[in-house]
Amino acid sequence: MVHDPALRSRATIGDVARAAGVSTRTVTRVSLGQPHVGAETRRRTEAAIRNLQYRADSLAQGLAWRRSDLIGMIYENPNPNYIIDVQQGLLEGLQPQRLELVVRRCEQADSEFFNELAAFAERLKLAGMVLTPPLSHDARIAALLEAIGCPYVRIAARRLDRPERTVAGGDRAGAREMGRHLAGLGHRRIGAILGPANFMSSGERLAGLQDGLAEHGVRLSPGLCVRGAYTFESGIAGGRALLAREAAPSAIFAANDEMAAGVLQAARQAGLAVPDDLTVVGFDDLEIARSLWPPLTSVRMPTRQLGRLAAWKLSVAAGRKPLVGGPPPVDAPRLVVRRSCGPPPVS
Amino acid sequence: MVHDPALRSRATIGDVARAAGVSTRTVTRVSLGQPHVGAETRRRTEAAIRNLQYRADSLAQGLAWRRSDLIGMIYENPNPNYIIDVQQGLLEGLQPQRLELVVRRCEQADSEFFNELAAFAERLKLAGMVLTPPLSHDARIAALLEAIGCPYVRIAARRLDRPERTVAGGDRAGAREMGRHLAGLGHRRIGAILGPANFMSSGERLAGLQDGLAEHGVRLSPGLCVRGAYTFESGIAGGRALLAREAAPSAIFAANDEMAAGVLQAARQAGLAVPDDLTVVGFDDLEIARSLWPPLTSVRMPTRQLGRLAAWKLSVAAGRKPLVGGPPPVDAPRLVVRRSCGPPPVS
DNA sequence: CTGAAAGCGCTTACAG
DNA sequence: CTGAAAGCGCTTACAG
């Protein structure tokens, strides 16, 4: 590979040292904000840094520190809206700390998965890693990262690791509200379309729904529970299946908005009006919930805030001094009532 | 910062050299696939690499090469679905080449924008950068990257740089098909909701629409053209505005699906049935186009493939030997007809 | 075909 | 308060 002089980044620490008439050791002290520098020396050095627009080379720094300023995020998730939301939150939290985000899509089924993951973290000397569902649920991944000394944060529906390593959304509490709401509207025969079995959120949302219904003495009949895949298509299929039951439900809880959109289609194809003939509700409250017709009652999850909190925890783990006070806030899940639900038909 | 021995990545090049009884120079030759290594020496070295699970440290390599194996992607785009689609394509193209993707959200309005961008590329010694709309349209960004010697690829609606630096979607051709289709259905009064002025795609889609209509002798009346923001809300607003016209259009072309979803809502609120009273069409053919009711006629854009092609061009720029033959294919935009359009009402 | 040595741009004990 | 020197883990002219 030819050395192209144009590629050379502006000024090195040596240039600054020369310009300021100090040693590189002193430049490091100043640029890293370390103590023990004379006022006049500091002034001269700072001036040189400014004039030469010096910025420490991230690679060299990483090599010396045995740690890069890179945070990895891995995902294997069917829902792009969820991923982008987490990612935005991460970026918001990471960029002020001068940490960069490197993303990677994984296939856990891949035989090389664990080797690849280790290589990813080690080759890049990652300062930390964010695990999103469903990868975050896998204890083996956490164990691997622990073993190679890579700090991580698991984003999940429920706390499942030490506090500094988990960020949880409170799915169960959110679903509980939804259960209360449905029961409160008078629904007694309620259908549910779950997410994939390997998603913790699916189980939590089901449990929460049952909690909320139980407060009103309502039970979810097992025959009205079908498994979905968190996708639009699986929502259509699940909706059709439930509506074909002899005693069809008067309300359908889809474990996410995508599937609820599918249920809406299934209802339409079955000639049912929503909410007059059938109540449909979703979960997550992504943009799609507002775009559909009728607009979907859903539960707003603080996905982005979870990303921001994960970034904060990782900053701490990476030894960054937080710019703000404490950890950023995470709102509790919140029921958002829209036009897709009403009382059961009188029939 | 304390040196934690657990953080040390497994084997260094020195470990391998010692184990194989060769110099580090030879290990480099073997691990990089360079020539001039004796068969026996190569065998021994390869064995050592395998046994020690040696993988060259990415940071040290980058420092020596004055180039990391990191590709940057910057975006400032209101549409997460678009971004995630590009990103997926990039990852698919980059990962086999052992290039990593580091993403960054920018605010071009920020006074530090250009400095931050330069710092991003220089500090990380980026092997390349992907520019997405609307940042890709800005010639100053391209000039900056050129100046600091960072290879880049601009993703846009139309070729606007040297071929190896552009990837274009052919928006105009796609919109042309849509224009033909609408005119073919018999529509004569056609409304259009454009994207933001700083998006090249907006202008291209408008031009294409006009092309297609013109083939049927139809002209877009200027009074029926309103500016949107590529968002759902702006689609509602645009739809309302158009439907409030004295001579309202019989068909509305929204320059993306998000806005078309908004038009659907506006139509509903105005008591209009789609497609019986009003035809609504979108652009991009993202998942939302299928989820809506009625499902949206749209134009499928090869967004993901553009990402893959951008990754390929950047791999070439980074000096990687392509694993496959030539550049990956990019399909032409394709009209996807669904239930949201029909002939104009007879009235 | 193979290797000793210098260099990439930083940081950190260790002295003074 | 300040600096000379070694080290982080790689690669590449340059010799032989």
Side-chain angles (χ1 to χ4, degrees), chain B residues 156-244:
Chain B
R158 179 158 47 80
R159 186 146 294 159
L160 39 50
D161 204 325
R162 286 153 41 184
E164 70 272 29
R165 293 177 165 180
T166 316
V167 150
D171 296 53
R172 183 161 183 167
R176 189 176 300 136
E177 281 197 62
M178 184 63 92
R180 285 180 192 136
H181 183 64
L182 291 176
L185 284 169
H187 291 282
R188 292 299 173 264
R189 292 194 57 78
I190 296 166
I193 304 179
L194 312 183
N198 63 330
F199 276 79
M200 177 169 290
S201 59
S202 174
E204 290 291 295
R205 291 172 187 188
L206 173 61
L209 178 69
Q210 291 173 315
D211 292 349
L213 294 177
E215 294 178 11
H216 290 252
V218 179
R219 281 237 322 269
L220 199 64
S221 74
L224 290 180
C225 233
V226 303
R227 170 96 40 211
Y230 274 164
T231 62
F232 175 67
E233 276 73 21
S234 71
I236 298 185
R240 278 189 191 141
L242 289 175
L243 294 176

Side-chain angles (χ1 to χ4, degrees), chain A residues 204-229:
Chain A
E204 290 291 296
R205 291 172 186 188
L206 173 61
L209 177 71
Q210 292 173 317
D211 292 348
L213 293 176
E215 293 179 12
H216 290 253
V218 179
R219 281 240 319 269
L220 199 66
S221 74
L224 290 180
C225 232
V226 303
R227 170 94 42 210

